């Protein structure tokens, strides 16, 4: 039985492995950011493995770019590695300001439009 239930708290997702579409481990789910006024998930923060060749460690990615794979208790980031490599990245979790509207614009510009949880 999967540890990923159909309904979960955000804290339960912390540490879930994040893999590429080919199954290559990229890192772990660090955080899930929710628009408080709407209750919708805005984006996820993925912490890449330290040994990653991508450079910075923390990436904000649109929630819609993720698919949960309960058969393997993991999350699949459905973007090419090149797209992630060029995405906005941050050296630490503290450097990522989830409330900054410029972050949402950067994500929209990079990954394409997705529904804003803040709207």
């Amino acid at each position: 039985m999967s540890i990923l239930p159909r309904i979960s708290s955000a804290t339960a997702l912390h540490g879930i492995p994040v893999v590429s579409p080919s199954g290559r481990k990229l890192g772990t789910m660090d955080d899930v950011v929710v628009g408080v006024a709407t209750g919708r998930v805005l984006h996820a923060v993925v912490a890449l493995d330290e040994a990653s060749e991508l450079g910075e460690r923390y990436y904000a990615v649109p929630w819609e770019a993720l698919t949960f794979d309960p058969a393997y208790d993991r999350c699949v980031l459905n973007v090419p590695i090149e797209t992630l490599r060029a995405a906005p990245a941050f050296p630490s979790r503290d450097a990522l300001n989830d409330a900054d509207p410029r972050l949402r614009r950067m994500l929209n510009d990079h990954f394409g439009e997705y529904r804003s949880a803040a709207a």
Side-chain angles (χ1 to χ4, degrees), residues 29-94:
M29 179 80 64
D30 185 74
D31 208 350
V32 176
V33 179
V34 177
V36 176
T38 64
R40 288 183 283 184
V41 175
L42 178 58
H43 61 268
V45 178
V46 175
L48 298 182
D49 289 342
E50 290 290 344
S52 172
E53 76 279 5
L54 295 177
E56 301 294 356
R57 181 149 190 237
Y58 293 88
Y59 287 78
V61 298
W63 186 248
E64 293 82 2
L66 298 164
T67 303
F68 286 90
D69 181 1
Y72 295 100
D73 293 325
R74 65 187 184 180
C75 185
V76 179
L77 180 58
N78 297 302
V79 299
I81 197 72
E82 296 79 22
T83 301
L84 184 61
R85 191 175 278 129
F90 304 87
S92 70
R93 182 63 181 101
D94 293 336

